[in-house]
Amino acid sequence: MGKLHKKGKAGAAINYITRNQALKKLQVTLADFRRLCILKGIYPREPKNKKKANKGSTAPSTFYYAKDIQYLMHEPILGKFREYKTFAKKMAKVMGKGQYSTAKSLAENKPIYTLDHIIKERYPTFTDALRDLDDALCMIFLFATMPKTDKIKAETVENCQRLAAEFQHYVLHTRSLRKTFLSIKGIYYQAEIKGQTVTWLVPYQFSQDVPTDVDFRVMLTFLEFHQTLCGFVNYRLYSDVNLVYPPVLDLKLDEGGAGMNALIIESTQSSANIAKSVNTPITTSTSSSVAASLSKEEKQRLHESEKRLQSLSKKIAHIQESGNDEESKETTTEDDTLDEFPTPLPNQDGSLAGAVTFSEIQKASLHLTQFQSLFANCVIFLSREVPRYSLEFVLRALGAQVGWDRVLGEGSPFDENDDRITHQVSDRPTQGHRFLSRQYVQPQWAYDCINAGKLLTSESYAVGKTLPPHLSPFVEAKEGDYVPDVNQFEGETEDLEIESGDEDEDEDEDEEDEDEDEEDADEEEEEDAEHKDLHQIELEAEAKGVAFTEFEAKENKKAKKSGKAAAAPAPTTRETRGKKRTAAEAEEAEAKELAKIMMTNKQQKLYTKIQYGKDKKAAEVQKLTEKKQQLAKASKKAKK
């Protein structure tokens, strides 16, 4: 006989714990518990049997894993929360007594906690951090556009703006941008960083109305974690491309609304050269002149770079020593047990299955380099009515030289009268003064060029023209989905020439439209003839003395008989059947019927549901195609 287990001592009853039990175990308030769970990445769980997990009770409750709560008991931040509570009590007591000097000393010793260890725990590798960067960037770009309120501090908004600008500078420097899309929510961007795709949403820079029904305490807790994560990621990204982090902020340009250009991006190699030149022995006669030539900001910058360079050699030596020790340990243990991977079987042509050829790699790399320098030969000027914060980032990320109107901020590298300008982005109904040496386009041209991967002609995007549809590059069409005509919306490249084949296709389309119009006219004539015949029969019946009700009843019977005859299946001869099915189609249809017969009732119901969904999707696609055809006909008639 097996060992008897007492009820509630094994299984789901000990694997799960309710939220109230967790609060009692951790001895924290509900607000602190929520903050702790958000920072540590612990979420409520749904047990299979709530009654067993709640030890027989059916009361509604929130469950967590008992191991997660046990893990939280050893969290250092939990102690900091308790220290802050005692600090708040002391501060309230001192302020109530009016002891302001004591309150000042207490404020200086305020308990502060950091989230560095949590970032290392949740993201053991840098790739893991990049995979989870989407939500962090969306939150940071959201709060970067928020106004200052009693809940959102100005320091928080400024820090978000700085982190967002730093990340955008890295994307510009490495030309990592791949896709963009203008939606109702905002502007979607997608970049490829270290082999990982990072997608984030940037809201439009309008005056934001802060909602009152949003719990900003929860959002600010998430923001606190995401700020720390983005700081770590930006530091690693800048270090990998030999850039100084954090970049220095130019206060004059920042006050003048320069945006991203207010950050001074420096290379670590240039700062090292400056530090070497500073460390070289200088004579007394030249030292005074060099000191006078350097400003206070440059001196501080050089002093900071010296400190970094001095600590850099120690860090490199420590990393090399630890790496050598680990390699020596790994070689002794892993030499004996090496994994053996079986070689894939070759194809009929001799190539390995799933192998990528060298020519494919060359083509992909060539396409990527061409895409990264898409706007390299373009000098683009932004008019004062276009969104500079987005267009400057998008155009510079692919190699363009961008200037803007003074109204949009300081720091423009050239003015509107510059002869080098090839394109001017304008969003007004008419353009008054025009330069003949440049092309005038609307803002959508830049985004469509990026999604198409080529420079589109400016004719479709000219100022005052109706723009083509802006299709999302993030939508992947599945089988049966409605796919718009890519050739209609993709546009033409600037070097593309019109071929004669396209003219023939247009002529064929015009002929088809004329045939359809003739068929519609014939149908209308047949309906008019039938209506005249019916009227003549009614007059003859009235002359014979037949009542109208009797005549109507006879006509209804005839109509029903004719409808049944039309609904009856026609004989399956070669003439009525049209094209005969091929042998493969017949076999496929027969196999489907046989498979359906062999299904169980449950499987047949599921199959009918799947077919219903497919038919519904096909009907929607047919509806959209018909609507498209009607709009095309209406536009052609309007042109005529």
Side-chain angles (χ1 to χ4, degrees):
M1 186 175 177
K3 187 179 179 181
L4 296 174
H5 294 283
K6 193 179 284 187
K7 186 179 180 182
K9 297 293 182 181
I14 62 170
N15 290 336
Y16 294 94
I17 186 172
T18 61
R19 189 173 65 182
N20 291 332
Q21 291 172 350
L23 293 176
K24 289 178 182 177
K25 194 170 186 177
L26 296 173
Q27 296 181 2
V28 293
T29 60
L30 182 59
D32 289 341
F33 178 72
R34 281 176 177 164
R35 286 184 68 192
L36 200 59
C37 288
I38 289 169
L39 295 175
K40 296 290 286 184
I42 292 170
Y43 301 98
R45 307 292 177 176
E46 190 72 18
K48 291 182 180 178
N49 194 332
K50 287 187 177 181
K51 191 174 181 182
K52 286 183 179 180
N54 209 5
K55 298 179 181 178
S57 175
T58 57
S61 55
T62 307
F63 295 95
Y64 293 86
Y65 280 140
K67 287 184 178 180
D68 291 343
I69 303 303
Q70 190 70 26
Y71 176 60
L72 286 178
M73 291 183 70
H74 305 285
E75 177 56 41
I77 291 181
L78 194 60
K80 290 290 182 180
F81 284 171
R82 290 168 182 155
E83 289 178 12
Y84 187 81
K85 279 188 177 180
T86 56
F87 162 76
K89 288 179 182 177
K90 287 180 182 178
M91 182 62 76
K93 189 176 180 181
V94 169
M95 292 297 289
K97 291 181 179 179
Q99 300 174 356
Y100 298 110
S101 60
T102 311
K104 187 178 180 181
S105 62
L106 276 174
E108 291 175 355
N109 298 321
K110 180 181 176 181
I112 299 170
Y113 63 89
T114 58
L115 305 178
D116 301 348
H117 65 286
I118 294 180
I119 299 294
K120 293 177 182 177
E121 286 174 6
R122 292 184 64 175
Y123 307 109
T125 62
F126 186 59
T127 307
D128 297 331
L130 288 177
R131 286 173 184 164
D132 204 21
L133 195 62
D134 298 358
D135 295 334
L137 288 175
C138 290
M139 184 71 78
I140 282 170
F141 276 93
L142 172 64
F143 275 87
T145 58
M146 284 285 189
K148 177 190 171 184
T149 59
D150 55 343
K151 295 178 181 177
I152 305 170
K153 296 180 180 178
E155 298 174 358
T156 304
V157 177
E158 288 175 2
N159 190 29
C160 289
Q161 290 174 353
R162 181 182 61 82
L163 290 170
E166 289 171 359
F167 182 77
Q168 284 183 326
H169 265 294
Y170 172 79
V171 175
L172 292 181
H173 184 78
T174 57
R175 298 191 180 182
S176 306
L177 190 67
R178 296 293 178 267
K179 295 178 183 178
T180 58
F181 179 61
L182 303 170
S183 71
I184 299 172
K185 295 179 181 178
I187 305 173
Y188 284 92
Y189 300 103
Q190 187 178 88
E192 188 177 351
I193 302 172
K194 306 288 185 184
Q196 303 294 326
T197 55
V198 180
T199 309
W200 70 97
L201 176 65
V202 179
Y204 296 111
Q205 288 189 359
F206 300 132
S207 58
Q208 301 286 345
D209 293 330
V210 181
T212 57
D213 56 345
V214 175
D215 191 357
F216 277 97
R217 291 179 300 175
V218 176
M219 291 189 71
L220 288 172
T221 307
F222 274 107
L223 180 65
E224 183 183 6
F225 176 76
H226 289 152
Q227 281 178 329
T228 310
L229 173 62
C230 278
F232 270 87
V233 171
N234 287 348
Y235 171 74
R236 175 67 184 273
L237 293 175
Y238 272 61
S239 301
D240 288 347
V241 293
N242 297 324
L243 294 178
V244 177
Y245 187 85
V248 182
L249 180 67
D250 193 337
L251 297 177
K252 289 183 179 179
L253 289 175
D254 188 38
E255 290 174 358
M260 292 189 301
N261 296 314
L263 292 176
I264 302 170
I265 306 298
E266 296 176 339
S267 175
T268 54
Q269 296 176 357
S270 62
S271 62
N273 294 331
I274 293 169
K276 284 180 182 178
S277 63
V278 170
N279 290 328
T280 53
I282 302 173
T283 60
T284 55
S285 60
T286 58
S287 61
S288 59
S289 61
V290 172
S293 62
L294 293 174
S295 63
K296 291 183 179 180
E297 294 180 358
E298 289 176 349
K299 287 179 182 178
Q300 289 178 357
R301 216 179 296 161
L302 292 173
H303 187 62
E304 289 175 1
S305 63
E306 285 176 13
K307 286 183 177 179
R308 287 177 187 151
L309 289 169
Q310 288 173 2
S311 61
L312 185 63
S313 59
K314 295 179 182 178
K315 287 181 180 179
I316 291 170
H318 178 69
I319 291 166
Q320 286 177 351
E321 289 175 1
S322 60
N324 293 330
D325 294 338
E326 289 177 359
E327 286 177 1
S328 61
K329 290 179 182 177
E330 289 175 358
T331 50
T332 54
T333 55
E334 292 182 0
D335 285 343
D336 299 331
T337 57
L338 291 174
D339 295 333
E340 293 182 1
F341 297 99
T343 56
L345 295 174
N347 294 327
Q348 293 179 356
D349 57 353
S351 62
L352 294 176
V356 181
T357 60
F358 182 69
S359 61
E360 291 177 355
I361 296 171
Q362 278 186 328
K363 287 179 182 177
S365 63
L366 180 63
H367 176 71
L368 182 60
T369 52
Q370 289 176 353
F371 177 75
Q372 287 177 342
S373 58
L374 183 65
F375 299 116
N377 298 325
C378 298
V379 181
I380 302 172
F381 184 81
L382 306 179
S383 299
R384 63 177 180 271
E385 69 275 1
V386 300
R388 179 201 148 197
Y389 66 93
S390 175
L391 284 169
E392 183 191 0
F393 169 65
V394 163
L395 294 169
R396 286 180 60 190
L398 296 179
Q401 299 180 34
V402 183
W404 53 88
D405 196 276
R406 291 180 181 178
V407 178
L408 298 176
E410 294 183 1
S412 177
F414 49 86
D415 296 330
E416 188 178 2
N417 299 326
D418 200 320
D419 295 334
R420 296 175 300 163
I421 297 173
T422 58
H423 296 79
Q424 181 166 343
V425 183
S426 179
D427 195 12
R428 55 186 74 172
T430 56
Q431 182 72 30
H433 178 67
R434 287 177 177 264
F435 291 89
L436 299 176
S437 60
R438 66 185 68 168
Q439 298 176 2
Y440 290 84
V441 292
Q442 297 186 48
Q444 188 181 320
W445 173 80
Y447 302 97
D448 287 349
C449 284
I450 293 171
N451 296 334
K454 58 187 179 182
L455 282 178
L456 303 177
T457 54
S458 58
E459 294 176 0
S460 303
Y461 300 90
V463 176
K465 275 196 174 183
T466 304
L467 291 168
H470 182 57
L471 303 177
S472 173
F474 299 100
V475 176
E476 295 181 359
K478 298 178 183 178
E479 186 180 355
D481 290 346
Y482 174 72
V483 181
D485 188 6
V486 179
N487 296 324
Q488 184 178 356
F489 303 135
E490 196 177 39
E492 300 174 349
T493 57
E494 291 189 349
D495 299 328
L496 194 65
E497 295 180 357
I498 300 171
E499 298 178 359
S500 59
D502 297 336
E503 295 177 357
D504 297 338
E505 289 177 2
D506 295 337
E507 290 176 1
D508 295 339
E509 288 178 0
D510 294 337
E511 290 175 1
E512 288 176 2
D513 293 335
E514 289 175 2
D515 295 339
E516 288 177 1
D517 295 336
E518 290 175 1
E519 288 176 2
D520 295 338
D522 294 338
E523 288 176 2
E524 289 176 359
E525 289 176 0
E526 289 176 2
E527 288 177 0
D528 294 338
E530 289 176 1
H531 185 70
K532 289 178 181 178
D533 293 340
L534 182 62
H535 185 64
Q536 186 66 27
I537 293 167
E538 285 179 2
L539 291 173
E540 291 176 359
E542 189 177 355
K544 291 178 182 178
V546 180
F548 179 72
T549 53
E550 294 177 3
F551 173 76
E552 192 176 8
K554 289 179 182 179
E555 289 296 324
N556 288 335
K557 285 181 182 179
K558 288 180 182 179
K560 285 181 182 179
K561 287 180 182 179
S562 62
K564 287 180 181 178
T572 58
T573 59
R574 286 189 180 180
E575 291 79 15
T576 57
R577 206 166 42 212
K579 290 183 180 179
K580 189 177 180 181
R581 289 193 302 178
T582 60
E585 290 177 352
E587 286 180 6
E588 188 179 355
E590 189 176 354
K592 281 185 179 179
E593 290 296 327
L594 290 171
K596 195 173 180 181
I597 291 167
M598 296 300 292
M599 288 180 185
T600 61
N601 290 334
K602 189 175 182 180
Q603 290 172 345
Q604 284 184 2
K605 288 178 181 177
L606 182 62
Y607 179 74
T608 52
K609 284 182 180 178
I610 292 169
Q611 291 298 119
Y612 174 76
K614 287 183 178 179
D615 295 340
K616 191 175 180 181
K617 188 183 283 186
E620 290 176 358
V621 170
Q622 182 65 24
K623 188 177 179 181
L624 288 171
T625 51
E626 289 176 358
K627 188 177 180 181
K628 181 182 172 183
Q629 290 173 0
Q630 289 175 1
L631 290 170
K633 285 182 181 178
S635 63
K636 282 185 179 180
K637 287 180 180 177
K639 287 180 181 179
K640 289 178 182 178

